[in-house]
C-alpha cells in the first residue's frame, strides 16, 4: 500500500472524483487507495502500554534531538523511528504483562487489555512526534536561549526560557482549534503527507509472511549502525568528511574551495557517517523521488552554476573578500565581525560603535541565500494560486456544500473535542506570554503589543497555509517575513526580533503540524479527545525536556558554540544556532534598513523575481498544454532547494542526493518488494543506532575527557577552504594573494 501511495503522489494526477452517490468512498483517489474504510470502536487506546511507551518515546526523542542539535552534524530523530521501534516493544508487552483486572472504586482496568493494536501505536507515535517538535528536532524557541547565553553572553533565566518554549509551542493549538472544522473534517482537505504515515502503519500491522520479519531486520541494522558509529564518531572522525582534493593539494586555496565538503563545492568529497548524511535534511530514504529530483535541479543550478559564476566571475558583493561558503558576518577587510563590540549595556545596538566598526558584510553565498528565500516565499504563493488555486477554492467550497465522507462519518461515533478546550489553551498560553513580555521584558525585549501583533499574523496565516499544505503538501515558511516586519518597526533589539519571529512563525507552524497529526488520527479512527490530550501533554513534556537539556549543555560544556575556543574537532559547534544568531544580528540588532536597504538593496528584487517566475512557467504550460513535464516544474522547490544552507553543506546535500537516488529510484524501481518491506525500517534503524552510540560516546568518553590524536582525528584537512581570495585581504592562517 505504501508503494502505491508514493507512486500516486509522484504522478501528480488531476483529481479523480468518485460519483457522489457512492457514500462509502472518499472523493480523493489517493485516500481511497490508502486509508481503510473500516473501524473497530471497541479497540482500547487508553492503555498502560500506550502511556508507558508514549511518554518514554516523547522523553527520549526530546532528549536526543536537543542533545544532537548542538553538534556539527545534528541528527533529528523523527516519528518514523518510533513507529518502527515501538511495534515489537508493544507486542512484547502484550505477551508478558499480567492480564489481571484491578478495581479502584467503580473504575476497573488492566495492564494488558489484549493484543497491541494500531490505535495504541498511532497515539504512541503522536506522543513522540510532539517530543520532536513535529519532526523539527528541539523546540524552535530553544535557539533564543542558546544565542542569548552562548553568542551574546547575556543572561536569561530558566523560567523565562521555559515560558518561551512552552508558550510558543502551545499557542498554535489555539489557532488549530479554531481552524480544525475547516481543514481536518472535510474530505477535500486530504493532507498528502499523512497518507505516507497511514501506509506505514498498515504495512507494519499486516501479517508478515516469510522468515525475515521487519522487527528482526530493524534490530540487526540498529546493532550494525550502533557499532559502526564509534568509527566516524570517535576513532576515525576524518571519515565523516573525506576530501580527496584537499588531501591531494594541501597548499591550494582554489583546490580546497572546490573540494571541501564542509566549506566548499564538495567535489570528490565523501562521507561514511550516517549522521552526516541525515543531518539537516533528515533521512533521504523517506523522500519520494520526484521531490529529490526537484531538489537536485535547484541545488545544481544554485551551487554549481550560480555560486561559482557569482564568486569567480562577477565577484558579486566583493565575494572574494570573504570565504566561498560561510554563515559568519564580516567587516569590509574580510575579518569576522566583532558583534559584541556593537552591543551596548542595554542589549541594544550601539550606533556610535557600529559607525566606528563599519557595515556588516555577508559572504556572497549567504547574501544570495537570503535573496532566494525572499523569492521562494513569494513564489510559493504565486505557484499555488496559479496551479492549485482553482482546486483549493473548489475544495474549500466543498467543505460547506459536500456531504461528510466515510471517514468523517466514522469519526462521529467518538466524542468530539469541546471548543472550550482550545479556547482555554489559547487563553492560558497568551496570558503566560503576556506575563513574560510585561514582567520579564528586560530578558526578552518584546513588548506586549509586539506579542499581540505576532499572534495576529499567526492567526491570519494559519488558515490559508493549512489549506495550501492540506491540498498541495507545500507549506510556505514565514520566518523571513516576520523578521523583516519587526526589524523594520523596531531595529536594534536582537532578542525582540527572534521572539517576534518565534511567536509569529512558530505558533503558526505548530498549528499546521497539530492539524496534520489530527488528520492522521482522523484517518486511523483515533478518538479526537485522546489525540488532543496526547499532543498537549507531549508538547509540554517535550518542551520542558528540551529546555532542561539545553540548560545542562550550555552550563556544562566549556566554550560551547565557540569553534575558535573549543578543542580541535570538537562536535559542539552549534552550526544551526550560528545561523539563528546571524539572523538576530541582521534583522534585529542592525536591522533590515541598514542591510537590505543599504549595501544589499538589490536583493529586494528577488521578491519580484519570485512572483514572476511561476507566471512564466504557467504561461508556458498554457501555451504547450500537451507537454505534461512543464507542470512538474516547481519554482518554490527549485528556489528553496538550498534553504537549509547554511548550516547544511555541500557534503550533506551530495551524500543525501546519492542515497536518495539509490533507494528511491534504483531500489524502488528494480527491487520494489524489498523497498516496500524494508525501506522505512532501514531508515529508522540507522537513525536509532547513531543516536544511541552518540549518547554513549558522550557520557563514556566526552564527559571523562577521553581522547587521542592521530591523522584520522584531524578533520577534513581543508583549512584553506575558508580563506578569501581577493588581493590585499589577509586572514590568519591564509596565504597572501
Amino acid at each position: 500500500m505504501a508503494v502505491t501511495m508514493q507512486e500516486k503522489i509522484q504522478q501528480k494526477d488531476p483529481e479523480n472524483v468518485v460519483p457522489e452517490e457512492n457514500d462509502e468512498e472518499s472523493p480523493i483517489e489517493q485516500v481511497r487507495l490508502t486509508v481503510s474504510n473500516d473501524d473497530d470502536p471497541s479497540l482500547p487506546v487508553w492503555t498502560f502500554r500506550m502511556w508507558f511507551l508514549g511518554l518514554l518515546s516523547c522523553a527520549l526523542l526530546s532528549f536526543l534531538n536537543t542533545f544532537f542539535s548542538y553538534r556539527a552534524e545534528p541528527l533529528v530523530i523523527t516519528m518514523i523511528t518510533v513507529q518502527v521501534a515501538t511495534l515489537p516493544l508493544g507486542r512484547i508487552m502484550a505477551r508478558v504483562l499480567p492480564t489481571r483486572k484491578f478495581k479502584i472504586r467503580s473504575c476497573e482496568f488492566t495492564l494488558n487489555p489484549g493484543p497491541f493494536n494500531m490505535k495504541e501505536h498511532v497515539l504512541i507515535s503522536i506522543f513522540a512526534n510532539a517530543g520532536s517538535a513535529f519532526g523539527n528536532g528541539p523546540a524552535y524557541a530553544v535557539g533564543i536561549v542558546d544565542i542569548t547565553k552562548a553568542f551574546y553572553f547575556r543572561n536569561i533565566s530558566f523560567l523565562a526560557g521555559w515560558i518561551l518554549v512552552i508558550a510558543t509551542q502551545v499557542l498554535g493549538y489555539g489557532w488549530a482549534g479554531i481552524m480544525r472544522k475547516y481543514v481536518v473534517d472535510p474530505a477535500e482537505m486530504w493532507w498528502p503527507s499523512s497518507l505516507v504515515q497511514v501506509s506505514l502503519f498498515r504495512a507494519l500491522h499486516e501479517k508478515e509472511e516469510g522468515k525475515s520479519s521487519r522487527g528482526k531486520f530493524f534490530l540487526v541494522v540498529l546493532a550494525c549502525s550502533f557499532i559502526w558509529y564509534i568509527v566516524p564518531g570517535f576513532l576515525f572522525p576524518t571519515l565523516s568528511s573525506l576530501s580527496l582534493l584537499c588531501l591531494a593539494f594541501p597548499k591550494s586555496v582554489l583546490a580546497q574551495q572546490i573540494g571541501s565538503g564542509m566549506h566548499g563545492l564538495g567535489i570528490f568529497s565523501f562521507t561514511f557517517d550516517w549522521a552526516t548524511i541525515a543531518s539537516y535534511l533528515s533521512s533521504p530514504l523517506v523522500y519520494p523521488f520526484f521531490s529529490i529530483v526537484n531538489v537536485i535541479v535547484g541545488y545544481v543550478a544554485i551551487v554549481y552554476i550560480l555560486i561559482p559564476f557569482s564568486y569567480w566571475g562577477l565577484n558579486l558583493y566583493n565575494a572574494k573578500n570573504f570565504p566561498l561558503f560561510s554563515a559568519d558576518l564580516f567587516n569590509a577587510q574580510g575579518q569576522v565581525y566583532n558583534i559584541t563590540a556593537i552591543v551596548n549595556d542595554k542589549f541594544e545596538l550601539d550606533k556610535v560603535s557600529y559607525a566606528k566598526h563599519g557595515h556588516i558584510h555577508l559572504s556572497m553565498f549567504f547574501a544570495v541565500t537570503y535573496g532566494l528565500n525572499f523569492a521562494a516565499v513569494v513564489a510559493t504563493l504565486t505557484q499555488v494560486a496559479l496551479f492549485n488555486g482553482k482546486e483549493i477554492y473548489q475544495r474549500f467550497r466543498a467543505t460547506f456544500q459536500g456531504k461528510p465522507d466515510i471517514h468523517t462519518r466514522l469519526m462521529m461515533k467518538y466524542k468530539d473535542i469541546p471548543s472550550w478546550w482550545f479556547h482555554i489553551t489559547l487563553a492560558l498560553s497568551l496570558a503566560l506570554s503576556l506575563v513574560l513580555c510585561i514582567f520579564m521584558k528586560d530578558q526578552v525585549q518584546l513588548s506586549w503589543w509586539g506579542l499581540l501583533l505576532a499572534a495576529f499574523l499567526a492567526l491570519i496565516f494559519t488558515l490559508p497555509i493549512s489549506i495550501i499544505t492540506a491540498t498541495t503538501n507545500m507549506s510556505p515558511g514565514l520566518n523571513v517575513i516576520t523578521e523583516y516586519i519587526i526589524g523594520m518597526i523596531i531595529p536594534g533589539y536582537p532578542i525582540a526580533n527572534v521572539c517576534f519571529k518565534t511567536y509569529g512563525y512558530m505558533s503558526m507552524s505548530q498549528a499546521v503540524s497539530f492539524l496534520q497529526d489530527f488528520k492522521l488520527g482522523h484517518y486511523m479512527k483515533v478518538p479526537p479527545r485522546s489525540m488532543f490530550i496526547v499532543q498537549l501533554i507531549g508538547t509540554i513534556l517535550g518542551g520542558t525536556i528540551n529546555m532542561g537539556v539545553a540548560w545542562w549543555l550550555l552550563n556544562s560544556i566549556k566554550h560551547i558554540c565557540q569553534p575558535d575556543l573549543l578543542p580541535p574537532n570538537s562536535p559542539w559547534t552549534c552550526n544551526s544556532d550560528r545561523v539563528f544568531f546571524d539572523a538576530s544580528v541582521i534583522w534585529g540588532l542592525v536591522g533590515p534598513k541598514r542591510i537590505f536597504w543599504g549595501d544589499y538593496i538589490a536583493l529586494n528584487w528577488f521578491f519580484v523575481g519570485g512572483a514572476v517566475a511561476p507566471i512564466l512557467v504557467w504561461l508556458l504550460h498554457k501555451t504547450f498544454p500537451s507537454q505534461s513535464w512543464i507542470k512538474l516544474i516547481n519554482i518554490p522547490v527549485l528556489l528553496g532547494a538550498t534553504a537549509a544552507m547554511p548550516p547544511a553543506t555541500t557534503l550533506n546535500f551530495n551524500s543525501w542526493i546519492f542515497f536518495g537516488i539509490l533507494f528511491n529510484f534504483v531500489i524502488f524501481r528494480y527491487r520494489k518488494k524489498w523497498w516496500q518491506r524494508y525501506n522505512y525500517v532501514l531508515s529508522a534503524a540507522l537513525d536509532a543506532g547513531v543516536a544511541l552510540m552518540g549518547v554513549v560516546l558522550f557520557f563514556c568518553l566526552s564527559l571523562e575527557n577521553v581522547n587521542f590524536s592521530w591523522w584520522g582525528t584531524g578533520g577534513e584537512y581543508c583549512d584553506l577552504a575558508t580563506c578569501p581570495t581577493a588581493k590585499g585581504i589577509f586572514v590568519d592562517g591564509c596565504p597572501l594573494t
Side-chain angles (χ1 to χ4, degrees), residues 63 67 547-557 698-699 703:
F63 173 83
F67 178 85
M547 186 60 200
V549 174
W551 199 260
W552 164 55
L553 292 176
L554 289 169
N555 289 285
S556 62
I557 298 176
F698 175 76
F699 283 105
L703 281 182

Side-chain angles (χ1 to χ4, degrees), residues 66-178:
T66 310
F67 178 85
F68 276 94
S69 68
Y70 292 88
R71 296 169 68 89
E73 298 293 350
L75 182 68
V76 176
I77 314 298
T78 63
M79 182 173 72
I80 287 180
T81 300
V82 171
Q83 280 179 277
V84 177
T86 55
L87 180 62
L89 293 176
R91 288 176 174 170
I92 290 171
M93 293 180 75
R95 291 176 186 171
V96 303
L97 286 176
T99 57
R100 176 188 170 190
K101 292 185 178 181
F102 300 89
K103 192 170 184 179
I104 300 177
R105 294 183 180 179
S106 60
C107 297
E108 190 176 76
F109 68 94
T110 175
L111 297 179
N112 191 350
F116 184 64
N117 66 71
M118 200 183 307
K119 294 187 181 184
E120 289 178 279
H121 199 186
V122 172
L123 283 177
I124 291 167
S125 301
I126 297 299
F127 240 134
N129 206 31
S132 65
F134 297 101
N136 295 314
Y140 196 73
V142 171
I144 300 174
V145 179
D146 293 340
I147 65 170
T148 301
K149 291 180 68 68
F151 290 86
Y152 285 111
F153 308 106
R154 302 298 174 111
N155 291 322
I156 183 172
S157 68
F158 182 89
L159 178 61
W162 181 83
I163 292 175
L164 262 176
V165 170
I166 299 301
T168 54
Q169 295 289 97
V170 174
L171 186 62
Y173 288 9
W175 313 140
I178 297 171

Side-chain angles (χ1 to χ4, degrees), residues 590-617:
V590 178
K593 286 183 180 179
R594 294 185 176 89
I595 294 180
F596 294 106
W597 291 92
D599 296 335
Y600 298 92
I601 190 172
L603 292 178
N604 288 286
W605 286 103
F606 277 84
F607 284 113
V608 179
V612 171
I615 297 175
L616 299 179
V617 176

